Amino acid sequence: MLVAAVAAGFTSCKKDTPASETHSQTFTLGETTYDIDNAVTIENIQYNGSQIYNAIVLSQGEMIGNSGGKGKGIIIVFRGDITAGTHSLTFNHEDPTANFPIYAYAELEVEDVVNFNIYDLMAQDGVYAANSGSFTLEISGDNYTITTSNIEVENVKDDSNVKTSSTDYEGGSAKYVLATVQEGDINGVNIVTAGATKFTYIVEQKVLCFITETADLIGYFYQGNSIPTGTINNATLVYASGMNVNNGIQVGQGSITIEKNEDVYTVDIPSVTINGTQYTLHYVGTMPSFDFPF
């Protein structure tokens, strides 16, 4: 029952696109129209510890949660803060990341989201980036309205392959804030982000999540208004392969040690057996609060 309860709680957090009386909640590539099923912001994207990027992802299909597959989507990447206003779009094939914001169409997997890298994204096949036109972003509290005008996109690897694109969206988005990771791994696989989130199953529950570059997740359930410190024995720990929390999540009991120095946490799980597999975890970095459509 605990496994079922955990899975149901995570999947209940999925953020569906709200209905809108004035916006179609779709994006297009050429003659094809796609429904926007999920909206996510990916924040605090860092490369080499310097410039911070932030992105909005509007996708058809569920990349994580109870299906965890692929999703086609529009990705808008800002250098610095996500800013309201009308933004003109240009693209440089010799340096695909020369001009921001970037408006791109791509097919994404869960690994692309949890380990978001604009350079890797632009190197994939089938990615289109806007070389002209504009989009307008309005921000009201936690809600975004995104509309476009005369956007033309070209295949990043073939500039002769040119299509039109548009986006028409109004609504909120889940917020995925990347941690500043100093070091960390789960069974030798690098941790790319961590943080505190919550979901509701009968009652609201809080969980620390540690996510690897292959999108595997280990989480620790805790109570109270702040992340506990010290050694917690008999802690409830969860594991989800590929972040497929509906079919893949398993639950185990183990110890976890959490230390805090200013905003940096050091977390160790020396050994826990989940579904017959032994896991170890070591992490040093920040623990931002985030909201994600598990």
Side-chain angles (χ1 to χ4, degrees), residues 68-81:
K70 295 182 179 181
K72 296 178 174 64
I74 295 293
I75 305 98
I76 302 173
V77 185
F78 293 82
R79 182 188 282 133
D81 294 339

Side-chain angles (χ1 to χ4, degrees), residues 271-293:
S271 179
V272 60
T273 300
I274 301 175
N275 198 32
T277 301
Q278 186 177 28
Y279 295 94
T280 61
L281 179 149
H282 173 67
Y283 176 78
V284 180
T286 61
M287 296 292 295
S289 297
F290 68 93
D291 180 21
F292 207 50

Side-chain angles (χ1 to χ4, degrees), residues 11-85:
T11 55
S12 70
C13 272
K14 177 181 177 292
K15 293 294 181 70
D16 294 317
T17 298
S20 172
E21 295 181 358
T22 56
H23 296 271
S24 64
Q25 311 296 60
T26 61
F27 63 89
T28 67
L29 179 69
E31 300 299 318
T32 305
T33 298
Y34 302 91
D35 293 327
I36 297 173
D37 297 322
N38 288 284
V40 179
T41 61
I42 306 174
E43 303 180 18
N44 195 40
I45 304 164
Q46 300 177 56
Y47 305 110
N48 302 321
S50 55
Q51 178 68 54
I52 292 176
Y53 300 83
N54 295 279
I56 301 171
V57 179
L58 307 171
S59 68
Q60 180 181 72
E62 200 175 337
M63 289 171 287
I64 59 175
N66 57 354
S67 62
K70 295 182 179 181
K72 296 178 174 64
I74 295 293
I75 305 98
I76 302 173
V77 185
F78 293 82
R79 182 188 282 133
D81 294 339
I82 296 172
T83 54

